Amino acid sequence: KWVTDFRFGYYRIYNNTAGPDPTSPLGNNLGIPNANPAPLSLTGGMPQFDVAIPSNGQNGGAQVDYGTTAALSLQQTSQYQVVNNWSHTVGSHNIKFGIDWRYGKNTTLSESGSGNVNFNGTYDAANSRTSGPNGLGNGYATFLLGDVSQFVRSVSATGGLGSTTQKRVFAYAQDQWHPTPKISVNYGLRWELYTPEAVTAKGEGGLLNLDTGNIQIAGYGQVNNQMNVQNNYKEFAPRIGISYQFLPKTVIRAGYGLVYGQGWAGNTFGQVLTNSYPLQVEENSIPASTAYGAAFRSEEHTSELQSHHD
């Protein structure tokens, strides 16, 4: 009347990609000022061009990436898993309970040292040189004029490759009851624990404190390696289901359950801690209405184009 199973699992994901010539000043050679400032080990390669293609004459179309990029993408994720389930039959009841324990480690780096140059024509609708009667600019025309809408560059500190770990524990108990040969009732309770992500070493991660507006650095002051985030022990998930064999070939079913999601879009790790200061910094430039994207070309070229336009 007793049945048990025990399982052990392990998986590992490794992915390391980079664009062509990631340590060469390809953006500077193309004539884009300051596309590849020193050191080239962090900012080399070709910038990525993001041009918003308009739809029906407006800027609501899909954004298409032109050119190439030297953006580095590194992912090393692994997880251990131990599962044990038990089942016991008592009369018309089949009782089950078990536990699932997981330990994961993640090392992820995603940066664009040479930058993303965005052209959407909407950074300043009132002054955009490609605006139409509706006040929206044209992304492709903005690209032809060199009017950068936004420039974004993210760079990781030298040697600043951090890792995070997290434990997850899931436990449950349920009963499958057959009050009559035609009726089956399943009910149970599941408990889930997601411990806060924690960096593996002092100073290898940061997190914005929404109360103070300051970035907390792991291991400094009163901040621990999990950024003082507390465990949530209240994630209980009840489940219930009923099935009734109405006719020999017809079964009616109904059910209810409460489910907790695992991160954004199912991500195993959020990557926030190690993609923040002090391991990673970001340059985000939105030009003024009269600058027309000085991050993309020199002021002399800007003046020349402006005179030609006038």
Side-chain angles (χ1 to χ4, degrees):
K1 293 184 178 180
W2 284 96
V3 178
T4 185
D5 69 83
F6 180 87
R7 288 176 283 142
F8 171 80
Y10 172 78
Y11 78 80
R12 181 174 183 264
I13 299 173
Y14 180 83
N15 180 37
N16 190 355
T17 60
D21 300 321
T23 60
S24 301
L26 301 183
N28 290 349
N29 295 342
L30 192 62
I32 305 175
N34 302 317
N36 308 111
L40 291 178
S41 60
L42 298 178
T43 64
M46 177 68 75
Q48 178 170 307
F49 296 85
D50 297 330
V51 181
I53 301 300
S55 175
N56 297 325
Q58 298 186 6
N59 202 46
Q63 182 148 300
V64 179
D65 296 337
Y66 284 92
T68 183
T69 176
L72 174 64
S73 177
L74 172 64
Q75 180 186 15
Q76 299 176 16
T77 302
S78 60
Q79 179 175 270
Y80 295 89
Q81 182 180 20
V82 179
V83 180
N84 184 215
N85 295 297
W86 289 82
S87 177
H88 181 51
T89 301
V90 180
S92 60
H93 296 266
N94 184 12
I95 301 172
K96 294 182 179 180
F97 57 90
I99 189 169
D100 182 341
W101 176 89
R102 306 179 190 184
Y103 174 81
K105 184 176 181 179
N106 182 65
T107 302
T108 303
L109 175 65
S110 179
E111 63 177 18
S112 56
S114 55
N116 285 36
V117 188
N118 183 276
F119 302 90
N120 57 38
T122 61
Y123 69 87
D124 189 348
N127 297 283
S128 173
R129 296 191 292 172
T130 65
S131 296
N134 57 7
L136 296 176
N138 182 294
Y140 189 68
T142 302
F143 166 72
L144 294 177
L145 289 173
D147 294 352
V148 176
S149 306
Q150 185 179 27
F151 177 81
V152 179
R153 183 205 315 272
S154 60
V155 178
S156 294
T158 303
L161 187 60
S163 301
T164 58
T165 62
Q166 187 181 47
K167 299 182 184 68
R168 301 183 180 92
V169 182
F170 312 102
Y172 77 95
Q174 70 176 49
D175 178 25
Q176 185 179 39
W177 176 38
H178 294 276
T180 71
K182 293 186 176 183
I183 298 177
S184 177
V185 181
N186 291 271
Y187 55 94
L189 182 64
R190 178 181 174 91
W191 176 70
E192 302 186 358
L193 173 64
Y194 301 87
T195 65
E197 288 186 48
V199 300
T200 57
K202 179 180 179 180
E204 288 196 350
L207 184 65
L208 176 65
N209 187 318
L210 297 179
D211 295 327
T212 64
N214 298 323
I215 296 180
Q216 300 179 152
I217 308 300
Y220 286 89
Q222 303 298 318
V223 182
N224 58 25
N225 282 3
Q226 64 183 37
M227 306 298 170
N228 295 344
V229 178
Q230 301 298 314
N231 284 317
N232 182 1
Y233 298 100
K234 301 178 181 180
E235 293 185 340
F236 292 95
R239 314 285 173 86
I240 185 171
I242 302 174
S243 63
Y244 173 60
Q245 188 177 4
F246 181 66
L247 296 172
K249 295 184 178 181
T250 305
V251 178
I252 300 174
R253 304 177 187 273
Y256 167 82
L258 182 63
V259 179
Y260 293 94
Q262 181 178 298
W264 177 83
N267 282 353
T268 304
F269 286 88
Q271 307 170 12
V272 174
L273 305 185
T274 54
N275 282 3
S276 301
Y277 181 86
L279 265 68
Q280 190 171 97
V281 295
E282 181 177 286
E283 174 189 358
N284 193 330
S285 175
I286 301 177
S289 59
T290 57
Y292 293 123
F296 182 61
R297 48 186 168 76
S298 66
E299 292 299 332
E300 291 79 8
H301 191 198
T302 302
S303 301
E304 178 183 349
L305 285 181
Q306 184 64 51
S307 300
H308 178 74
H309 174 71
D310 294 340

